Amino acid sequence: MTDASTTADPADDTGDAPRDFIRDIVHGDLEAGKHAGVVTRFPPEPNGYLHIGHAKSICLNFGIAEETGGRCHLRFDDTNPAKEEQRYIDAIQEDVRWLGFDWGEHLFHASDYFEQLFQWAEHLIGQGLAYVDDQSAEAMRESRGTLTAPGTNSPFRDRTPEENLELFQAMRAGDFPDGARVLRAKIDMAAPNINLRDPVLYRIIHAPHPRTGDAWSIYPTYDFAHGQSDALEGITHSLCTLEFEDHRPLYEWLIENLPVPSAPKQYEFARLNLSHTVLSKRKLIQLVEDGHVTGWDDPRLPTLAGLRRRGVPPEGLRAFIRQIGVSKVDSVVDLAMLNAALREHLNRVASRRMGVLRPLKLVIDTWPEGEVDWLDAINNPQDDTAGSRKVPFGRELWIEQDDFMEDAPRKYFRLTPGQEVRLRYGYLVTCTDVVKDADGNVIEVHATHDPDSRGGNAPDGRKVRGTIHWVSAEHGVAAEVRLIDHLFTSEQPGAGGADPLDDLNPAALEVLTGCWLEPALADATPAASGGETVQFERLGYFTADPDGSPASPVFIRTVGLRDTWAKVAAKGAS
Ligand code: ATP
Ligand code: MG
């Protein structure tokens, strides 16, 4: 095992993760001989798509299993058929695999254990440790007490085990409507921890279950299903987020009072919170269902499907998760940190290409009409094995509007009348003239070139400071390009009870049409279908979007080359 000092490269996502308090506990238990092997689980509820917060939990659970030669189960916490769907079950599996993890044959469902859980509920009833309560949900809420006041006993609390058993079996048989009765643990209505005030173990839900169909009319709660599922699977370390800390005494009470085959332990860590977005399935569902985004894979969303479509490589995401670490203190991670981790990774692996997003025509008057020069362009200066490609150069090119200025300040090194610049991989050109429309806008720039500067350097060694990118007008591929910004304008949307929808960033998606890309990009495969995320030189990282086609390609920006947002934020703060 390694320690934190061996993972110096922040873009690295290979080998063991740095130690954290959870890993310390796991390794301590192994060294003390407590377990023959480590068994963890990732337990999603299939009521929505996974988001980047889940990625933290996935990397932790699967990562620890990998590092210790143990195993990690994928277990669906499918205990509420009113909200769960098969399409979510399928999407979750796809997302975990995409992130780079494999549960092998260890795919489980809480619903696999419904019969066993029912028998254990009967066991509690038999021991006088559970009872059927006929109170309404409202009455139950009122009698639960508060943080400072104890609760009061239900009038149904002292039913005999026989009566409870009969009622519980009738609940199972479907004799009562939704909400008519619940099964509660009989613990202590005056317990300081509200989770121990006779928590609900089973509720009546008449809804078809994706796996068990109409077999059940009652379903166990998370609290009853979770720890017992852990015990049945021999989970050694049950890792969850801090909001379950107060549930731990209940988790332990159930394990102690049931004849379960093993005694797993629960540990809590801080959930991932990310600035300028929401990481709550409830809020994400609202964005999707109310049409604020185009679907679960909308690239503005922090869902794994959205990140994948945006071109985020799983390795980059894992490197980010590794960088943020695991602790017991809740915090908000700045989105800029995710972007920096992605950039760091993509800079190493992404092929370079040229594309012009806001085109301006450049005509090289000294270039022979109809002549094409196929220039060598290096694919990735960070990777010698990536080789090079041929890029066509001709008399008419597209350049960025930004890269030309008629009246330029002294330190403007790009194209301006009388100044020489380097066309990337190509020739040195000097601007000689401009063409304007009736309103005085520059619509075409004219230049001459130095025929001896092929490859970008003058034979006499004269200094040329500016280098700009370009696309041959004759060969370029017309494309739509979508720029993605953060989904919410505020750092913590919905903080302090505000409606997060009020903070939606109208500029989160900017669609540019009439862009020009080098021909190598014509039939690129979207990252979401296994294709590449490439760097458009000087513009950022991009991938093809599935909305496009070879006839009319669409690209999407994964992340820019630097965080203009972080700069703006820093300026605002100073
Ligand atoms: P949400 O709060 O978005 O509805 P959830 O916790 O209800 O999410 P589950 O499907 O129950 O979603 O989560 C599966 C696992 O992922 C749980 O162990 C949960 O603790 C963990 N998890 C969920 N959100 C985060 C997060 N933001 N950071 C780290 N782990 C998370
Ligand atoms: Mg949950």
Side-chain angles (χ1 to χ4, degrees):
M1 299 297 112
T2 53
D3 62 30
S5 62
T6 58
T7 43
D9 180 355
D12 190 17
D13 72 294
T14 56
D16 291 357
R19 280 292 181 93
D20 50 58
F21 81 98
I22 299 270
R23 286 179 164 87
D24 286 344
I25 291 169
V26 169
H27 285 286
D29 286 351
L30 279 175
E31 279 149 28
K34 272 199 200 165
H35 310 288
V38 169
V39 188
T40 56
R41 85 287 169 266
F42 172 64
E45 182 178 359
N47 60 351
Y49 276 55
L50 297 182
H51 53 64
I52 190 168
H54 294 112
K56 177 175 180 180
S57 176
I58 295 168
C59 289
L60 181 65
N61 281 293
F62 280 93
I64 286 177
E66 273 175 13
E67 290 154 27
T68 58
R71 63 174 199 266
C72 180
H73 298 181
L74 175 62
R75 184 200 313 142
F76 286 101
D77 170 31
D78 54 349
T79 51
N80 184 1
K83 291 197 171 151
E84 296 157 6
E85 294 179 34
Q86 185 62 41
R87 66 185 173 117
Y88 296 138
I89 294 182
D90 298 338
I92 288 169
Q93 296 191 42
E94 186 185 352
D95 287 348
V96 176
R97 277 205 198 91
W98 172 75
L99 197 54
F101 298 103
D102 184 7
W103 52 90
E105 60 202 15
H106 306 292
L107 174 64
F108 301 101
H109 303 78
S111 58
D112 298 338
Y113 314 129
F114 279 174
E115 190 59 48
Q116 176 66 77
L117 291 170
F118 180 81
Q119 286 173 27
W120 280 340
E122 288 187 323
H123 176 89
L124 288 178
I125 292 172
Q127 302 286 308
L129 294 174
Y131 63 97
V132 172
D133 195 343
D134 303 0
Q135 291 185 102
S136 67
E138 204 194 330
M140 276 181 57
R141 212 175 305 119
E142 275 165 15
S143 60
R144 191 177 295 134
T146 65
L147 285 173
T148 48
T152 46
N153 286 354
S154 163
F156 303 95
R157 198 172 195 262
D158 292 320
R159 279 176 162 152
T160 63
E162 292 69 31
E163 190 186 353
N164 279 319
L165 265 185
E166 204 172 300
L167 281 169
F168 187 49
Q169 282 159 3
M171 278 167 66
R172 173 179 183 165
D175 291 356
F176 310 117
D178 284 9
R181 286 179 166 84
V182 292
L183 183 75
R184 299 177 76 174
K186 191 171 178 176
I187 307 180
D188 180 4
M189 287 305 291
N193 182 337
I194 291 184
N195 290 291
L196 294 178
R197 293 184 191 168
D198 293 7
V200 173
L201 305 180
Y202 269 90
R203 60 258 197 262
I204 300 170
I205 302 173
H206 291 276
H209 185 283
R211 290 178 50 90
T212 59
D214 294 323
W216 294 88
S217 306
I218 54 171
Y219 291 90
T221 54
Y222 169 88
D223 283 320
F224 190 60
H226 199 79
Q228 284 46 256
S229 301
D230 284 345
L232 281 164
E233 292 173 19
I235 302 298
T236 54
H237 300 80
S238 181
L239 311 177
C240 61
T241 37
L242 282 177
E243 65 269 27
F244 292 102
E245 195 167 15
D246 291 344
H247 294 237
R248 186 173 359 113
L250 175 56
Y251 185 102
E252 289 172 352
W253 185 90
L254 288 164
I255 294 289
E256 272 160 30
N257 285 287
L258 287 169
V260 290
S262 75
K265 285 260 184 294
Q266 174 182 306
Y267 301 92
E268 308 87 19
F269 62 96
R271 64 192 291 119
L272 169 63
N273 300 302
L274 201 55
S275 75
H276 303 99
T277 192
V278 289
L279 295 184
S280 139
K281 272 190 275 186
R282 192 175 48 79
K283 290 177 188 160
L284 292 170
I285 285 175
Q286 193 190 0
L287 290 172
V288 172
E289 290 188 346
D290 295 352
H292 298 289
V293 294
T294 56
W296 283 103
D297 70 343
D298 188 298
R300 290 167 289 186
L301 288 180
T303 52
L304 298 188
L307 292 165
R308 176 165 65 230
R309 177 162 172 187
R310 215 178 88 194
V312 168
E315 298 82 2
L317 200 49
R318 293 200 305 259
F320 165 70
I321 300 285
R322 184 168 286 204
Q323 278 174 41
I324 57 173
V326 179
S327 85
K328 244 184 146 42
V329 185
D330 264 319
S331 65
V332 180
V333 174
D334 200 299
L335 200 56
M337 200 168 154
L338 170 63
N339 290 341
L342 298 179
R343 257 179 229 124
E344 220 152 353
H345 173 78
L346 286 165
N347 179 48
R348 287 190 306 169
V349 302
S351 299
R352 271 55 171 175
R353 297 287 182 260
M354 289 198 288
V356 171
L357 301 190
R358 296 171 180 91
L360 174 64
K361 179 70 73 69
L362 172 67
V363 180
I364 302 169
D365 296 310
T366 47
W367 191 267
E369 201 91 48
E371 192 171 306
V372 178
D373 187 1
W374 289 85
L375 299 163
D376 283 313
I378 293 167
N379 282 330
N380 184 354
Q382 306 284 320
D383 178 3
D384 296 339
T385 65
S388 64
R389 67 193 184 285
K390 297 283 186 191
V391 192
F393 184 95
R395 183 180 159 91
E396 297 201 356
L397 308 173
W398 295 112
I399 61 168
E400 293 294 339
Q401 289 167 18
D402 264 5
D403 284 335
F404 174 79
M405 211 177 212
E406 198 176 11
D407 297 305
R410 212 160 46 85
K411 289 205 165 161
Y412 187 82
F413 299 119
R414 291 170 270 171
L415 208 56
T416 185
Q419 183 156 286
E420 191 169 42
V421 299
R422 179 180 300 103
L423 293 172
R424 185 87 164 127
Y425 308 115
Y427 294 83
L428 299 176
V429 297
T430 306
C431 173
T432 50
D433 199 8
V434 298
V435 178
K436 293 184 183 175
D437 65 11
D439 299 326
N441 301 310
V442 175
I443 51 168
E444 202 171 281
V445 178
H446 285 254
T448 56
H449 79 293
D450 176 350
D452 295 324
S453 64
R454 188 174 192 268
N457 289 306
D460 63 3
R462 70 180 179 275
K463 203 168 163 193
V464 175
R465 298 190 65 162
T467 301
I468 65 175
H469 61 275
W470 50 271
V471 168
S472 160
E474 185 192 338
H475 305 87
V477 177
E480 173 184 317
V481 174
R482 300 176 182 172
L483 305 181
I484 304 295
D485 205 342
H486 42 270
L487 186 52
F488 292 90
T489 48
S490 63
E491 221 165 275
Q492 292 184 61
D499 183 353
L501 293 180
D502 294 342
D503 290 337
L504 271 176
N505 178 9
L509 172 65
E510 186 182 355
V511 177
L512 303 175
T513 53
C515 310
W516 293 99
L517 310 179
E518 69 168 83
L521 292 166
D523 46 11
T525 307
S529 308
E532 249 193 297
T533 299
V534 299
Q535 183 189 104
F536 288 4
E537 294 201 31
R538 300 174 66 225
L539 298 172
Y541 297 94
F542 295 77
T543 192
D545 189 87
D547 278 352
S549 65
S552 67
V554 175
F555 277 75
I556 190 159
R557 182 152 75 182
T558 312
V559 62
L561 285 183
R562 47 195 95 63
D563 238 310
T564 47
W565 172 254
K567 258 191 273 167
V568 172
K571 252 191 218 156
S574 66

